[in-house]
């Protein structure tokens, strides 16, 4: 899918794109066995940003210097760096300390998803929602995994559970629309894209996706209108 849905973690979900920065972070990660850099939401694509990012991490750890917090954030950073196998080891250590940590179960599911271990991923999301039925991110991420498995109707049900808990997030409606579009249910998909647009009219995502649907329907002029938004 060209417009793949994002996964939700409790930190901002941006990826790291600069391989040189990856090497620097990897060196820092391994020094003394502790994470010395905290990815607080922005891609680290400039070596000059390293001291600033490290300072933010130190400030975060000062608020909670526990082993659990350090391991959790190391897992998040490793998963961003597409070292999901190592991220899983961090998350497993967190869950040995606290097996009821819902956020860690969710992020462990994300790591399995990156490794394309779909069923392990689903098991983690289900565990998160068994522990906390009101934890929306796990329903959303479960929907993404079900969509990866082409189990679109189940994915829609999971997205709708997330919507019932947080009805103001456009990306949830966009995810439902993508699953409907994947089943060639174009009229319904357009309705859900409209719902996403209504929640955030300034975001180009809904218009772009509507353009894609119009292309599939061979309504080329309408597609251009949406792409030009």
């Amino acid at each position: 899918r060209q417009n793949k849905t994002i996964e939700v973690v409790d930190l901002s979900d941006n990826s790291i794109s600069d391989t040189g920065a990856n090497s620097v972070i990897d060196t820092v990660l391994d020094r003394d066995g502790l994470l010395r850099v905290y990815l607080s939401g922005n891609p680290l694509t400039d070596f000059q940003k390293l001291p600033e990012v490290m300072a933010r991490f130190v400030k975060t750890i000062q608020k909670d210097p526990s082993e659990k917090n350090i391991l959790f954030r190391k897992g998040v950073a490793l998963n961003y760096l597409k070292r999901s196998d190592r991220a899983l080891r961090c998350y497993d250590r967190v869950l040995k300390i606290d097996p009821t940590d819902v956020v860690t179960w969710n992020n462990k599911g994300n790591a399995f998803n990156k490794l394309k271990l779909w069923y392990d991923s689903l098991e983690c999301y289900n565990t998160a929602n068994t522990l906390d039925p009101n934890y929306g991110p796990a329903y959303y991420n479960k929907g993404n995994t079900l969509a990866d498995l082409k189990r679109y109707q189940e994915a829609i049900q999971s997205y709708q559970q997330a919507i019932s808990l947080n009805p103001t997030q456009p990306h949830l409606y966009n995810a439902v629309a993508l699953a409907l579009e994947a089943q060639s249910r174009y009229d319904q998909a357009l309705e859900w894209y409209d719902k996403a647009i209504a929640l955030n009219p300034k975001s180009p995502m809904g218009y772009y996706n509507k353009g894609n649907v119009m292309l599939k329907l061979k309504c080329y002029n309408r597609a251009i209108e949406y792409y030009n938004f």
Side-chain angles (χ1 to χ4, degrees):
R1 289 173 293 157
Q2 186 172 6
N3 270 321
K4 192 181 191 313
T5 47
I6 60 171
E7 68 184 28
V8 172
V9 296
D10 272 25
L11 302 176
S12 178
D13 186 41
N14 291 295
S15 62
I16 303 300
S17 58
D18 188 284
T19 55
N22 287 356
S23 299
V24 171
I25 294 175
D26 196 41
T27 300
V28 174
L29 280 171
D30 291 334
R31 189 176 63 200
D32 300 326
L34 293 176
L35 178 63
R36 301 297 185 189
V37 61
Y38 167 43
L39 305 180
S40 65
N42 295 312
L44 183 60
T45 57
D46 184 345
F47 292 120
Q48 301 302 318
K49 293 180 181 179
L50 187 59
E52 176 190 346
V53 176
M54 289 176 65
R56 285 199 296 269
F57 171 76
V58 170
K59 187 176 294 186
T60 302
I61 293 302
Q62 285 174 342
K63 292 180 181 178
D64 181 6
S66 66
E67 179 186 11
K68 174 185 170 184
N69 184 43
I70 294 172
L71 286 168
F72 172 79
R73 296 184 184 282
K74 182 174 181 178
V76 171
L78 286 165
N79 207 37
Y80 282 152
L81 295 173
K82 299 182 180 180
R83 295 183 172 94
S84 299
D85 54 340
R86 291 175 60 188
L88 284 169
R89 292 199 289 271
C90 290
Y91 292 142
D92 283 339
R93 289 174 65 186
V94 171
L95 291 170
K96 283 184 179 180
I97 297 170
D98 180 5
T100 66
D101 190 312
V102 172
V103 176
T104 300
W105 279 110
N106 174 72
N107 287 12
K108 183 177 178 181
N110 292 344
F112 276 128
N113 184 285
K114 277 185 165 50
L115 293 169
K116 301 186 185 303
L117 296 172
W118 315 121
Y119 294 101
D120 292 316
S121 178
L122 290 174
E123 185 176 340
C124 290
Y125 299 137
N126 286 334
T127 299
N129 284 134
T130 298
L131 291 167
D132 183 358
N134 294 318
Y135 185 69
Y139 290 116
Y140 171 71
N141 290 326
K142 177 182 176 181
N144 291 345
T145 298
L146 289 165
D148 286 329
L149 290 167
K150 303 187 186 305
R151 292 161 57 177
Y152 297 116
Q153 197 54 41
E154 292 174 78
I156 289 170
Q157 292 172 359
S158 197
Y159 293 142
Q160 289 177 328
Q161 286 178 292
I163 289 171
S164 70
L165 294 168
N166 196 348
T168 63
Q169 296 299 309
H171 71 276
L172 299 177
Y173 297 83
N174 185 72
V176 173
L178 284 171
L180 289 165
E181 183 181 341
Q183 299 174 84
S184 301
R185 295 162 64 182
Y186 298 128
D187 288 343
Q188 291 173 280
L190 290 170
E191 291 176 6
W192 281 87
Y193 287 135
D194 283 337
K195 292 179 182 181
I197 290 169
L199 288 169
N200 187 4
K202 294 183 179 180
S203 171
M205 181 178 294
Y207 302 99
Y208 177 79
N209 289 336
K210 287 187 74 172
N212 289 343
V213 173
M214 290 301 165
L215 274 183
K216 292 175 182 178
L217 294 173
K218 299 184 179 180
C219 298
Y220 302 117
N221 289 332
R222 293 291 303 279
I224 291 171
E225 290 176 13
Y226 289 122
Y227 290 144
N228 285 339
F229 179 81

